[in-house]
Amino acid sequence: MHGPYGPETSMAVELDTVADALLTVWEAARERTTSRVSGAQLRAIMLVEQHDGINLRRLATGLDMLLSSASRLCDRLVAAGMLEREPGRFDRREISLHLTPEARRLLAELRDDRRQQLAAILADMTSEGRQALLRGMREFDEAARHRNASVQSVEAADPWPGVPLEHPIGLPTQERPVDLSTRERPGTGPRVARTA
């Protein structure tokens, strides 16, 4: 690891180790769900739930996919009865995506499965341990959200950090400003939900 080996780094190592049990519960629930949809399809469903009415371009960006790949993924989800396409509210040429009742049932089953497994594990903990875990996870979630919001605001203010805003005419093409409206950049669209 880089930098001083301080208390936060030491705790991060321990947390990374003990988090395996929590991730195992998450992954087991996902695997049972992905017997009906693929992992990529589940991520798409979760993203549409988080951003109801999202268009195809933003979905592709959020999934870090090519537009054509995201379009084929949506075709399969529509055929499976998981997604609905509707003309955009403000631009009829733009298609907005929405979950079907079947997709919402799928996510509800995933969450119910996961919560049952968590409840069984929590039952083996002391009351003090459960409360300390919940308090710590709430603070962890708040800190993570704050950090993500800060990163997104920096990206929005300067989408190409380190590249000067004004360029002389004679600069090589790769150093010239890029028109962001004509170029897809993975990772600048809606963030994928961390959990279902």
Tab-separated table of all heavy atoms in Angstrom, residues 160 174 176-183:
chain	number	residue	atom	x	y	z
A	160	TRP	N	-12.668	17.218	-18.055
A	160	TRP	CA	-11.347	16.759	-18.496
A	160	TRP	C	-10.290	17.403	-17.613
A	160	TRP	O	-9.575	18.312	-18.031
A	160	TRP	CB	-11.116	17.125	-19.972
A	160	TRP	CG	-12.041	16.439	-20.888
A	160	TRP	CD1	-13.211	16.913	-21.390
A	160	TRP	CD2	-11.919	15.113	-21.399
A	160	TRP	NE1	-13.804	15.980	-22.171
A	160	TRP	CE2	-13.041	14.865	-22.215
A	160	TRP	CE3	-10.955	14.116	-21.253
A	160	TRP	CZ2	-13.230	13.662	-22.863
A	160	TRP	CZ3	-11.146	12.915	-21.912
A	160	TRP	CH2	-12.271	12.706	-22.703
A	174	GLN	N	-5.065	15.471	-30.324
A	174	GLN	CA	-5.410	14.800	-29.076
A	174	GLN	C	-5.422	15.751	-27.877
A	174	GLN	O	-5.925	15.416	-26.829
A	174	GLN	CB	-4.466	13.634	-28.791
A	174	GLN	CG	-3.015	14.040	-28.556
A	174	GLN	CD	-2.210	14.006	-29.840
A	174	GLN	OE1	-2.785	14.113	-30.919
A	174	GLN	NE2	-0.904	13.857	-29.737
A	176	ARG	N	-6.622	18.982	-28.167
A	176	ARG	CA	-7.637	20.005	-28.361
A	176	ARG	C	-8.865	19.702	-27.524
A	176	ARG	O	-9.130	18.563	-27.177
A	176	ARG	CB	-8.029	20.085	-29.846
A	176	ARG	CG	-6.915	20.650	-30.703
A	176	ARG	CD	-7.329	20.699	-32.147
A	176	ARG	NE	-6.196	21.109	-32.981
A	176	ARG	CZ	-6.166	20.967	-34.289
A	176	ARG	NH1	-7.182	20.431	-34.919
A	176	ARG	NH2	-5.119	21.363	-34.966
A	177	PRO	N	-9.667	20.740	-27.192
A	177	PRO	CA	-10.880	20.493	-26.408
A	177	PRO	C	-11.805	19.534	-27.139
A	177	PRO	O	-11.871	19.522	-28.364
A	177	PRO	CB	-11.517	21.886	-26.290
A	177	PRO	CG	-10.401	22.845	-26.596
A	177	PRO	CD	-9.475	22.139	-27.521
A	178	VAL	N	-12.506	18.737	-26.390
A	178	VAL	CA	-13.418	17.757	-26.965
A	178	VAL	C	-14.848	18.226	-26.774
A	178	VAL	O	-15.213	18.687	-25.693
A	178	VAL	CB	-13.230	16.386	-26.270
A	178	VAL	CG1	-14.200	15.367	-26.825
A	178	VAL	CG2	-11.796	15.906	-26.448
A	179	ASP	N	-15.658	18.126	-27.807
A	179	ASP	CA	-17.078	18.458	-27.708
A	179	ASP	C	-17.790	17.296	-27.017
A	179	ASP	O	-18.007	16.251	-27.613
A	179	ASP	CB	-17.653	18.687	-29.116
A	179	ASP	CG	-19.123	19.094	-29.057
A	179	ASP	OD1	-19.693	19.094	-27.943
A	179	ASP	OD2	-19.679	19.401	-30.124
A	180	LEU	N	-18.136	17.473	-25.753
A	180	LEU	CA	-18.710	16.385	-24.979
A	180	LEU	C	-20.086	15.974	-25.476
A	180	LEU	O	-20.550	14.884	-25.188
A	180	LEU	CB	-18.798	16.790	-23.497
A	180	LEU	CG	-17.453	17.069	-22.828
A	180	LEU	CD1	-17.658	17.456	-21.383
A	180	LEU	CD2	-16.540	15.874	-22.926
A	181	SER	N	-20.747	16.857	-26.201
A	181	SER	CA	-22.089	16.506	-26.673
A	181	SER	C	-22.051	15.473	-27.783
A	181	SER	O	-23.054	14.856	-28.098
A	181	SER	CB	-22.809	17.765	-27.179
A	181	SER	OG	-22.138	18.276	-28.322
A	182	THR	N	-20.880	15.278	-28.390
A	182	THR	CA	-20.795	14.319	-29.496
A	182	THR	C	-19.968	13.107	-29.136
A	182	THR	O	-19.678	12.278	-29.971
A	182	THR	CB	-20.166	14.986	-30.740
A	182	THR	OG1	-18.848	15.429	-30.399
A	182	THR	CG2	-21.001	16.158	-31.213
A	183	ARG	N	-19.550	13.011	-27.884
A	183	ARG	CA	-18.704	11.890	-27.489
A	183	ARG	C	-19.221	11.248	-26.223
A	183	ARG	O	-19.544	11.927	-25.258
A	183	ARG	CB	-17.277	12.384	-27.264
A	183	ARG	CG	-16.353	11.285	-26.763
A	183	ARG	CD	-14.938	11.771	-26.665
A	183	ARG	NE	-14.100	10.750	-26.072
A	183	ARG	CZ	-12.815	10.873	-25.873
A	183	ARG	NH1	-12.204	11.982	-26.233
A	183	ARG	NH2	-12.109	9.918	-25.305
